[in-house]
Amino acid sequence: KRPVEELDKAYCGLIQNTSLLEKHRQALKDRGLTDKQIAVYGFRSVDNSRSGSICRILQSKGINLSRIPGFYYDIPHNEWRLNTWGMDGYFCICPDEKGYIQGFQIRLDVPKKGQKYLWLSSKDKPGGVTSGSQTGYFGNRIAKKIIVVDGILKACVCNCFCKDRNTAFVGVAGVSCYKSM
């Protein structure tokens, strides 16, 4: 996997070149988020139809997609693609404690085999790499109190509701993933 600064550059480019469908905006509002919070946290809808063109845009900006989780080289089509498994849903950022985006979870519209969330990953694909299971850090870097939450999106939402800027939230992708914390 590439350094987190390079992951962040690619993922910020992905955010800049995608949008959020109204149904996903409404789902986030139903969780209590405001339009401003939705924008700040870069929520975007998965766009399966533009996978190749998004990758070309990122490459035109000098972003190397090799070994960036979620991107892979599609040999038959001779181009880079985003591995979203053809699923519909929206991206949830997974920032580290410095605010760099180290990955995304996809909140699926329709759960797959009981799973509501999938990591944006390209494990076992040409030029791809596993995302691993990161923890997401939401809040002040020097918070005096850190609360661990089961779920990346839940940690983000908790941070949005919390008025205490001396409290931060760490989201783990399921209770069995605490070791990555």
Side-chain angles (χ1 to χ4, degrees):
K1 198 184 316 188
R2 291 188 173 280
V4 71
E5 295 85 359
E6 293 181 43
L7 301 180
D8 181 76
K9 187 176 180 181
Y11 293 145
C12 286
L14 176 62
I15 289 170
Q16 291 168 357
N17 290 285
T18 52
S19 60
L20 185 65
L21 296 174
E22 189 53 41
K23 69 178 182 177
H24 295 140
R25 178 177 305 284
Q26 190 57 51
L28 291 162
K29 284 183 166 187
D30 291 346
R31 290 178 182 267
L33 299 182
T34 65
D35 283 321
K36 182 178 178 183
Q37 291 165 330
I38 291 167
V40 165
Y41 286 105
F43 290 100
R44 295 293 188 269
S45 298
V46 172
D47 189 347
N48 293 300
S49 68
R50 295 186 53 238
S51 176
S53 64
I54 290 168
C55 291
R56 286 189 294 278
I57 291 168
L58 296 178
Q59 288 178 300
S60 74
K61 295 179 180 183
I63 298 172
N64 182 348
L65 300 176
S66 176
R67 297 187 340 264
I68 302 281
F71 295 93
Y72 71 98
Y73 191 72
D74 183 358
I75 294 170
H77 293 99
N78 198 33
E79 69 177 352
W80 284 90
R81 294 203 182 251
L82 191 58
N83 188 34
T84 56
W85 301 284
M87 301 287 178
D88 291 320
Y90 56 90
F91 293 114
C92 304
I93 67 166
C94 184
D96 70 4
E97 69 280 356
K98 294 179 182 174
Y100 290 117
I101 301 173
Q102 58 184 335
F104 287 103
Q105 275 195 324
I106 300 172
R107 171 60 165 95
L108 300 174
D109 290 347
V110 178
K112 179 183 179 183
K113 297 180 184 175
Q115 287 186 286
K116 294 180 193 173
Y117 297 89
L118 293 175
W119 282 105
L120 180 63
S121 182
S122 49
K123 180 182 177 185
D124 299 329
K125 293 197 173 278
V129 66
T130 182
S131 63
S133 183
Q134 302 103 6
T135 57
Y137 189 93
F138 298 89
N140 187 345
R141 281 181 62 189
I142 56 172
K144 294 183 177 18
K145 181 176 169 184
I146 295 175
I147 298 173
V148 179
V149 179
D150 177 16
I152 306 298
L153 179 56
K154 287 177 193 156
C156 178
V157 172
C158 287
N159 186 60
C160 289
F161 283 128
C162 185
K163 302 295 182 214
D164 180 5
R165 293 298 128 202
N166 282 315
T167 300
F169 296 86
V170 172
V172 295
V175 293
S176 64
C177 297
Y178 68 91
K179 289 181 182 176
S180 63
M181 194 170 51

